[in-house]
Amino acid sequence: MTDAHQNFLDLLHTQRVWDVELPGFDPAAAPPAPLPLFHSWFAEAVAAGQVEPHTMSLATVDAEGRPDVRTVMLHDADERGWHFATHRTSAKGRQLAARPYAALGFYWPAQARQVRVRGPVTECTPAESRADLRARSTGALASALTGSQSEVLGSREELDRTADAARERARAEPDAEVASWTRYVAEPQEVEFFQGDAARRHVRLRYRRTDPARGDAAWVRELLWP
């Protein structure tokens, strides 16, 4: 083992987990459907000072079935599902077009909580995608206008030139449209809530949807071994 590797291991093994006072979670008092609990946990994460609680991991698979994952922003969570947006032409956009199914993961270490969502993904309407783009900041719009996401970049200078031009356009045209910008919604079939415990007696509550036509009654709640 090299000294550099040993230094890494020493550093890795000194990291603490959940070195904070953790909240309790009584799954018996959880609501019949996952959305209200997600809204509640999100608000509690914000109140606890969790940095960027609206970021989430988005996992998809490519044409060969190999998993892919990245961090994206949550745009909404409503009765339809969990919303996010990206270019339809990006790697994740192409993967979702071929295999429209995804898993989402939220991790809020300030309270030792995780939320996992799995289900099919559908595109929102073009009007919703346009509205999503218009709601973004100037910088975010400039990034969307830059386009070419996931494509090979020739040089940093090329990026700087393109990004500068996109920012100028975003300032001049705040309603500029990007044809590839698409809002998606992950429709939950399973949602798991994980509450960490210092004694490792973690609480895991999973919601499974049986019949979407039954509304909140469609959800089965199950405790899972940690």
Side-chain angles (χ1 to χ4, degrees):
M1 181 183 297
T2 65
D3 289 344
H5 188 195
Q6 185 60 59
N7 290 339
F8 166 74
L9 288 178
D10 292 342
L11 182 62
L12 178 64
H13 294 156
T14 59
Q15 302 310 301
R16 298 181 63 83
V17 178
W18 307 330
D19 194 15
V20 294
E21 184 176 349
L22 303 181
F25 174 45
D26 179 8
L35 185 62
L37 184 56
F38 179 82
H39 286 166
S40 176
W41 274 28
F42 184 87
E44 290 171 17
V46 173
Q50 177 61 56
V51 177
E52 298 184 352
H54 58 316
T55 58
M56 61 185 185
S57 298
L58 167 66
T60 55
V61 294
D62 65 15
E64 287 74 40
R66 297 172 299 185
D68 205 351
V69 67
R70 74 288 287 165
T71 301
V72 299
M73 296 289 183
L74 176 69
H75 287 210
D76 196 3
D78 60 15
E79 296 298 336
R80 293 162 59 191
W82 276 251
H83 298 240
F84 60 94
T86 187
H87 290 282
R88 190 184 306 107
T89 52
S90 68
K92 52 187 172 294
R94 295 193 302 270
Q95 289 167 2
L96 288 169
R99 299 193 176 193
Y101 199 93
L104 312 176
F106 295 86
Y107 179 44
W108 300 321
Q111 294 189 302
R113 285 176 169 175
Q114 300 179 55
V115 181
R116 301 169 59 211
V117 182
R118 299 175 68 205
V121 176
T122 60
E123 292 187 10
C124 294
T125 66
E128 288 176 299
S129 295
R130 287 193 296 270
D132 184 278
L133 186 64
R134 293 194 183 103
R136 293 168 65 81
S137 66
T138 299
L141 174 59
S143 178
L145 287 167
T146 300
S148 304
Q149 190 177 71
S150 303
E151 296 179 13
V152 175
L153 175 65
S155 68
R156 181 56 192 258
E157 290 73 23
E158 181 183 357
L159 172 61
D160 290 341
R161 289 194 303 271
T162 304
D164 287 344
R167 182 170 287 273
E168 288 301 315
R169 185 183 173 195
R171 290 179 180 141
E173 303 176 47
D175 292 331
E177 295 189 6
V178 180
S180 61
W181 189 256
T182 305
R183 181 158 172 154
Y184 296 88
V185 57
E187 303 171 359
Q189 292 180 335
E190 294 183 7
V191 184
E192 180 188 329
F193 293 83
F194 172 103
Q195 174 62 68
D197 178 79
R200 299 302 189 265
R201 297 180 181 180
H202 313 310
V203 179
R204 295 176 62 189
L205 176 64
R206 179 174 64 189
Y207 290 79
R208 278 193 303 109
R209 176 173 268 168
T210 56
D211 180 5
R214 297 177 60 202
D216 287 358
W219 293 101
V220 173
R221 294 184 299 175
E222 304 166 316
L223 288 176
L224 304 178
W225 279 90

